[in-house]
Amino acid sequence: MVRAAIFGVIASSALIIGAGIGARFRLPQRVLAMLLAFAAGSLITALAFELFEDSYEHGGAWTSALGFAAGAVVFTVISTWLDRQVAHPRDTAGSAKLDTAAASTERDFSPSAVGSSAGLALLAAVTLDGVPENLALGITLGGEGGGLVLLVAIFLSNLPESLVGAAAMREQGRSVTYAMGMWTGAAVLLAVSVVAGRGLLAGTEGAGVSLPLAFAAGAVVASLADTLMPEAYEKGGPYSALATAAGFLLSYVLSVA
């Protein structure tokens, strides 16, 4: 349980670090895109080697497929609803929630173009896929890989998303204290999810382990297609392809080391 708490704090600390950067500074849009792409590559390795594979081994094809489909559907439905709550900015590529212009040094937009709920919608989306991811991290701590690959992937994906989310909140006139408070609250929730995953499902076998792992994998795949990759490739161009490959390679090396 101590190890689960440590892993939870490390994974969730990226939300606080990213929010601190996004609330105070702006980065070149290409840098933001490459951060997103690198995170996407890391998540690909994690979902293949520490989520869906483990789910299949514990529950078989039908159970893992059911959990995977449920995770993808739930994330897509809720994420689509959140997108509709955000006033779409001028650039409608990718998800309206992940408006990297708000965190960018390229001031090619007006603050009114950023949806008034964009920061909160992204916070909700990060929590939506973060809870099953962190529950899965707690579960995988008892496995052969020890959850290291998933830990790195979650950290890398949390950082740019919270950075953009906090910047969007600031563009709409929210204070630094407000932005930091919201993302810190999310970090605490996700850290607790790691401990809960380890405590509630320790020693559980079969579908009890397979379903949450597969659900998390489905949510990750949906978030990659819906949010991370579209924005990364639209803003970063071919460099994003290299960043994605680098993220995959790093996570793969960690998984087999």
Side-chain angles (χ1 to χ4, degrees), residues 91-117:
D91 180 6
T92 57
S95 171
K97 299 183 297 297
L98 191 63
D99 181 30
T100 54
S104 172
T105 55
E106 289 85 1
R107 311 298 287 181
D108 57 351
F109 71 102
S110 63
S112 62
V114 181
S116 60
S117 301

PDB file of all heavy atoms in Angstrom, residues 91-117:
ATOM      1  N   ASP A  91     -10.100  27.433 -34.469  1.00  0.00           N
ATOM      2  CA  ASP A  91      -9.495  26.196 -34.954  1.00  0.00           C
ATOM      3  C   ASP A  91     -10.247  25.028 -34.324  1.00  0.00           C
ATOM      4  O   ASP A  91     -10.135  24.782 -33.128  1.00  0.00           O
ATOM      5  CB  ASP A  91      -8.016  26.155 -34.558  1.00  0.00           C
ATOM      6  CG  ASP A  91      -7.313  24.895 -35.027  1.00  0.00           C
ATOM      7  OD1 ASP A  91      -7.948  24.110 -35.756  1.00  0.00           O
ATOM      8  OD2 ASP A  91      -6.141  24.712 -34.674  1.00  0.00           O
ATOM      9  N   THR A  92     -10.989  24.293 -35.123  1.00  0.00           N
ATOM     10  CA  THR A  92     -11.830  23.224 -34.592  1.00  0.00           C
ATOM     11  C   THR A  92     -11.209  21.844 -34.754  1.00  0.00           C
ATOM     12  O   THR A  92     -11.889  20.852 -34.566  1.00  0.00           O
ATOM     13  CB  THR A  92     -13.202  23.236 -35.295  1.00  0.00           C
ATOM     14  OG1 THR A  92     -13.002  23.102 -36.718  1.00  0.00           O
ATOM     15  CG2 THR A  92     -13.940  24.536 -35.002  1.00  0.00           C
ATOM     16  N   ALA A  93      -9.929  21.779 -35.126  1.00  0.00           N
ATOM     17  CA  ALA A  93      -9.280  20.481 -35.255  1.00  0.00           C
ATOM     18  C   ALA A  93      -9.164  19.826 -33.890  1.00  0.00           C
ATOM     19  O   ALA A  93      -8.867  20.469 -32.894  1.00  0.00           O
ATOM     20  CB  ALA A  93      -7.895  20.639 -35.879  1.00  0.00           C
ATOM     21  N   GLY A  94      -9.397  18.511 -33.852  1.00  0.00           N
ATOM     22  CA  GLY A  94      -9.279  17.794 -32.596  1.00  0.00           C
ATOM     23  C   GLY A  94     -10.418  18.108 -31.650  1.00  0.00           C
ATOM     24  O   GLY A  94     -11.502  18.511 -32.046  1.00  0.00           O
ATOM     25  N   SER A  95     -10.153  17.916 -30.371  1.00  0.00           N
ATOM     26  CA  SER A  95     -11.168  18.130 -29.347  1.00  0.00           C
ATOM     27  C   SER A  95     -11.197  19.592 -28.921  1.00  0.00           C
ATOM     28  O   SER A  95     -10.155  20.217 -28.720  1.00  0.00           O
ATOM     29  CB  SER A  95     -10.871  17.245 -28.134  1.00  0.00           C
ATOM     30  OG  SER A  95     -11.703  17.577 -27.057  1.00  0.00           O
ATOM     31  N   ALA A  96     -12.401  20.133 -28.769  1.00  0.00           N
ATOM     32  CA  ALA A  96     -12.531  21.526 -28.324  1.00  0.00           C
ATOM     33  C   ALA A  96     -12.012  21.723 -26.912  1.00  0.00           C
ATOM     34  O   ALA A  96     -11.651  22.834 -26.521  1.00  0.00           O
ATOM     35  CB  ALA A  96     -13.993  21.951 -28.409  1.00  0.00           C
ATOM     36  N   LYS A  97     -11.977  20.661 -26.122  1.00  0.00           N
ATOM     37  CA  LYS A  97     -11.506  20.762 -24.739  1.00  0.00           C
ATOM     38  C   LYS A  97     -10.021  21.088 -24.684  1.00  0.00           C
ATOM     39  O   LYS A  97      -9.578  21.859 -23.843  1.00  0.00           O
ATOM     40  CB  LYS A  97     -11.749  19.442 -24.002  1.00  0.00           C
ATOM     41  CG  LYS A  97     -13.195  19.007 -23.907  1.00  0.00           C
ATOM     42  CD  LYS A  97     -13.324  17.739 -23.103  1.00  0.00           C
ATOM     43  CE  LYS A  97     -12.603  16.570 -23.744  1.00  0.00           C
ATOM     44  NZ  LYS A  97     -13.165  16.203 -25.057  1.00  0.00           N
ATOM     45  N   LEU A  98      -9.252  20.456 -25.573  1.00  0.00           N
ATOM     46  CA  LEU A  98      -7.799  20.592 -25.536  1.00  0.00           C
ATOM     47  C   LEU A  98      -7.377  21.729 -26.467  1.00  0.00           C
ATOM     48  O   LEU A  98      -6.820  21.508 -27.537  1.00  0.00           O
ATOM     49  CB  LEU A  98      -7.127  19.277 -25.946  1.00  0.00           C
ATOM     50  CG  LEU A  98      -5.623  19.186 -25.700  1.00  0.00           C
ATOM     51  CD1 LEU A  98      -5.318  19.287 -24.216  1.00  0.00           C
ATOM     52  CD2 LEU A  98      -5.062  17.890 -26.256  1.00  0.00           C
ATOM     53  N   ASP A  99      -7.629  22.953 -26.053  1.00  0.00           N
ATOM     54  CA  ASP A  99      -7.323  24.126 -26.861  1.00  0.00           C
ATOM     55  C   ASP A  99      -5.910  24.601 -26.548  1.00  0.00           C
ATOM     56  O   ASP A  99      -5.690  25.423 -25.659  1.00  0.00           O
ATOM     57  CB  ASP A  99      -8.350  25.225 -26.593  1.00  0.00           C
ATOM     58  CG  ASP A  99      -8.078  26.452 -27.435  1.00  0.00           C
ATOM     59  OD1 ASP A  99      -7.541  26.294 -28.544  1.00  0.00           O
ATOM     60  OD2 ASP A  99      -8.382  27.557 -26.969  1.00  0.00           O
ATOM     61  N   THR A 100      -4.918  24.084 -27.302  1.00  0.00           N
ATOM     62  CA  THR A 100      -3.525  24.411 -27.012  1.00  0.00           C
ATOM     63  C   THR A 100      -3.206  25.881 -27.261  1.00  0.00           C
ATOM     64  O   THR A 100      -2.195  26.376 -26.759  1.00  0.00           O
ATOM     65  CB  THR A 100      -2.578  23.540 -27.858  1.00  0.00           C
ATOM     66  OG1 THR A 100      -2.920  23.672 -29.243  1.00  0.00           O
ATOM     67  CG2 THR A 100      -2.677  22.078 -27.455  1.00  0.00           C
ATOM     68  N   ALA A 101      -4.043  26.590 -28.006  1.00  0.00           N
ATOM     69  CA  ALA A 101      -3.793  28.010 -28.237  1.00  0.00           C
ATOM     70  C   ALA A 101      -3.774  28.791 -26.926  1.00  0.00           C
ATOM     71  O   ALA A 101      -3.062  29.782 -26.788  1.00  0.00           O
ATOM     72  CB  ALA A 101      -4.865  28.584 -29.164  1.00  0.00           C
ATOM     73  N   ALA A 102      -4.551  28.334 -25.951  1.00  0.00           N
ATOM     74  CA  ALA A 102      -4.606  29.035 -24.671  1.00  0.00           C
ATOM     75  C   ALA A 102      -3.279  28.979 -23.931  1.00  0.00           C
ATOM     76  O   ALA A 102      -2.983  29.843 -23.104  1.00  0.00           O
ATOM     77  CB  ALA A 102      -5.706  28.439 -23.797  1.00  0.00           C
ATOM     78  N   ALA A 103      -2.456  27.960 -24.214  1.00  0.00           N
ATOM     79  CA  ALA A 103      -1.180  27.792 -23.526  1.00  0.00           C
ATOM     80  C   ALA A 103       0.001  28.139 -24.419  1.00  0.00           C
ATOM     81  O   ALA A 103       1.146  27.907 -24.042  1.00  0.00           O
ATOM     82  CB  ALA A 103      -1.044  26.343 -23.036  1.00  0.00           C
ATOM     83  N   SER A 104      -0.271  28.709 -25.587  1.00  0.00           N
ATOM     84  CA  SER A 104       0.763  28.902 -26.591  1.00  0.00           C
ATOM     85  C   SER A 104       1.278  30.331 -26.630  1.00  0.00           C
ATOM     86  O   SER A 104       0.558  31.286 -26.321  1.00  0.00           O
ATOM     87  CB  SER A 104       0.206  28.521 -27.966  1.00  0.00           C
ATOM     88  OG  SER A 104       1.121  28.862 -28.984  1.00  0.00           O
ATOM     89  N   THR A 105       2.533  30.477 -27.048  1.00  0.00           N
ATOM     90  CA  THR A 105       3.116  31.806 -27.254  1.00  0.00           C
ATOM     91  C   THR A 105       2.632  32.426 -28.543  1.00  0.00           C
ATOM     92  O   THR A 105       2.765  33.639 -28.727  1.00  0.00           O
ATOM     93  CB  THR A 105       4.650  31.721 -27.295  1.00  0.00           C
ATOM     94  OG1 THR A 105       5.047  30.766 -28.294  1.00  0.00           O
ATOM     95  CG2 THR A 105       5.213  31.292 -25.952  1.00  0.00           C
ATOM     96  N   GLU A 106       2.096  31.621 -29.450  1.00  0.00           N
ATOM     97  CA  GLU A 106       1.562  32.159 -30.697  1.00  0.00           C
ATOM     98  C   GLU A 106       0.179  32.728 -30.439  1.00  0.00           C
ATOM     99  O   GLU A 106      -0.807  31.993 -30.391  1.00  0.00           O
ATOM    100  CB  GLU A 106       1.482  31.074 -31.787  1.00  0.00           C
ATOM    101  CG  GLU A 106       2.828  30.633 -32.313  1.00  0.00           C
ATOM    102  CD  GLU A 106       3.475  29.540 -31.470  1.00  0.00           C
ATOM    103  OE1 GLU A 106       2.844  29.110 -30.467  1.00  0.00           O
ATOM    104  OE2 GLU A 106       4.590  29.127 -31.790  1.00  0.00           O
ATOM    105  N   ARG A 107       0.088  34.023 -30.293  1.00  0.00           N
ATOM    106  CA  ARG A 107      -1.174  34.665 -29.899  1.00  0.00           C
ATOM    107  C   ARG A 107      -2.033  34.925 -31.130  1.00  0.00           C
ATOM    108  O   ARG A 107      -2.315  36.045 -31.526  1.00  0.00           O
ATOM    109  CB  ARG A 107      -0.899  35.972 -29.174  1.00  0.00           C
ATOM    110  CG  ARG A 107       0.128  35.849 -28.071  1.00  0.00           C
ATOM    111  CD  ARG A 107      -0.315  34.905 -26.991  1.00  0.00           C
ATOM    112  NE  ARG A 107      -1.369  35.492 -26.180  1.00  0.00           N
ATOM    113  CZ  ARG A 107      -1.925  34.875 -25.147  1.00  0.00           C
ATOM    114  NH1 ARG A 107      -1.554  33.657 -24.826  1.00  0.00           N
ATOM    115  NH2 ARG A 107      -2.866  35.472 -24.457  1.00  0.00           N
ATOM    116  N   ASP A 108      -2.464  33.835 -31.777  1.00  0.00           N
ATOM    117  CA  ASP A 108      -3.259  33.961 -32.993  1.00  0.00           C
ATOM    118  C   ASP A 108      -4.733  33.745 -32.694  1.00  0.00           C
ATOM    119  O   ASP A 108      -5.478  33.221 -33.497  1.00  0.00           O
ATOM    120  CB  ASP A 108      -2.786  32.953 -34.052  1.00  0.00           C
ATOM    121  CG  ASP A 108      -2.831  31.523 -33.549  1.00  0.00           C
ATOM    122  OD1 ASP A 108      -3.059  31.321 -32.338  1.00  0.00           O
ATOM    123  OD2 ASP A 108      -2.652  30.612 -34.381  1.00  0.00           O
ATOM    124  N   PHE A 109      -5.157  34.129 -31.498  1.00  0.00           N
ATOM    125  CA  PHE A 109      -6.543  33.947 -31.109  1.00  0.00           C
ATOM    126  C   PHE A 109      -6.913  35.042 -30.121  1.00  0.00           C
ATOM    127  O   PHE A 109      -6.069  35.721 -29.555  1.00  0.00           O
ATOM    128  CB  PHE A 109      -6.751  32.578 -30.453  1.00  0.00           C
ATOM    129  CG  PHE A 109      -6.136  32.481 -29.079  1.00  0.00           C
ATOM    130  CD1 PHE A 109      -6.911  32.580 -27.947  1.00  0.00           C
ATOM    131  CD2 PHE A 109      -4.765  32.334 -28.943  1.00  0.00           C
ATOM    132  CE1 PHE A 109      -6.335  32.516 -26.696  1.00  0.00           C
ATOM    133  CE2 PHE A 109      -4.193  32.274 -27.690  1.00  0.00           C
ATOM    134  CZ  PHE A 109      -4.979  32.362 -26.567  1.00  0.00           C
ATOM    135  N   SER A 110      -8.195  35.240 -29.939  1.00  0.00           N
ATOM    136  CA  SER A 110      -8.655  36.172 -28.919  1.00  0.00           C
ATOM    137  C   SER A 110      -9.170  35.363 -27.740  1.00  0.00           C
ATOM    138  O   SER A 110      -9.660  34.246 -27.923  1.00  0.00           O
ATOM    139  CB  SER A 110      -9.783  37.054 -29.466  1.00  0.00           C
ATOM    140  OG  SER A 110     -10.902  36.255 -29.805  1.00  0.00           O
ATOM    141  N   PRO A 111      -9.060  35.878 -26.506  1.00  0.00           N
ATOM    142  CA  PRO A 111      -9.524  35.113 -25.347  1.00  0.00           C
ATOM    143  C   PRO A 111     -10.968  34.666 -25.475  1.00  0.00           C
ATOM    144  O   PRO A 111     -11.341  33.612 -24.981  1.00  0.00           O
ATOM    145  CB  PRO A 111      -9.338  36.106 -24.195  1.00  0.00           C
ATOM    146  CG  PRO A 111      -8.210  36.980 -24.639  1.00  0.00           C
ATOM    147  CD  PRO A 111      -8.413  37.136 -26.133  1.00  0.00           C
ATOM    148  N   SER A 112     -11.793  35.462 -26.156  1.00  0.00           N
ATOM    149  CA  SER A 112     -13.198  35.094 -26.295  1.00  0.00           C
ATOM    150  C   SER A 112     -13.390  33.878 -27.176  1.00  0.00           C
ATOM    151  O   SER A 112     -14.439  33.257 -27.169  1.00  0.00           O
ATOM    152  CB  SER A 112     -13.990  36.274 -26.873  1.00  0.00           C
ATOM    153  OG  SER A 112     -13.510  36.594 -28.172  1.00  0.00           O
ATOM    154  N   ALA A 113     -12.337  33.547 -27.973  1.00  0.00           N
ATOM    155  CA  ALA A 113     -12.447  32.374 -28.843  1.00  0.00           C
ATOM    156  C   ALA A 113     -12.300  31.083 -28.071  1.00  0.00           C
ATOM    157  O   ALA A 113     -12.660  30.013 -28.529  1.00  0.00           O
ATOM    158  CB  ALA A 113     -11.382  32.420 -29.949  1.00  0.00           C
ATOM    159  N   VAL A 114     -11.716  31.181 -26.873  1.00  0.00           N
ATOM    160  CA  VAL A 114     -11.565  29.994 -26.041  1.00  0.00           C
ATOM    161  C   VAL A 114     -12.856  29.784 -25.264  1.00  0.00           C
ATOM    162  O   VAL A 114     -13.342  30.682 -24.607  1.00  0.00           O
ATOM    163  CB  VAL A 114     -10.375  30.163 -25.061  1.00  0.00           C
ATOM    164  CG1 VAL A 114     -10.210  28.904 -24.224  1.00  0.00           C
ATOM    165  CG2 VAL A 114      -9.104  30.473 -25.816  1.00  0.00           C
ATOM    166  N   GLY A 115     -13.396  28.587 -25.350  1.00  0.00           N
ATOM    167  CA  GLY A 115     -14.650  28.305 -24.668  1.00  0.00           C
ATOM    168  C   GLY A 115     -14.561  28.601 -23.185  1.00  0.00           C
ATOM    169  O   GLY A 115     -13.563  28.296 -22.534  1.00  0.00           O
ATOM    170  N   SER A 116     -15.596  29.189 -22.640  1.00  0.00           N
ATOM    171  CA  SER A 116     -15.576  29.563 -21.230  1.00  0.00           C
ATOM    172  C   SER A 116     -15.491  28.353 -20.321  1.00  0.00           C
ATOM    173  O   SER A 116     -15.116  28.477 -19.165  1.00  0.00           O
ATOM    174  CB  SER A 116     -16.834  30.382 -20.900  1.00  0.00           C
ATOM    175  OG  SER A 116     -18.003  29.629 -21.165  1.00  0.00           O
ATOM    176  N   SER A 117     -15.841  27.189 -20.819  1.00  0.00           N
ATOM    177  CA  SER A 117     -15.791  25.971 -20.009  1.00  0.00           C
ATOM    178  C   SER A 117     -14.688  25.025 -20.455  1.00  0.00           C
ATOM    179  O   SER A 117     -14.640  23.882 -20.019  1.00  0.00           O
ATOM    180  CB  SER A 117     -17.142  25.243 -20.081  1.00  0.00           C
ATOM    181  OG  SER A 117     -18.188  26.069 -19.628  1.00  0.00           O
TER     182      SER A 117
END
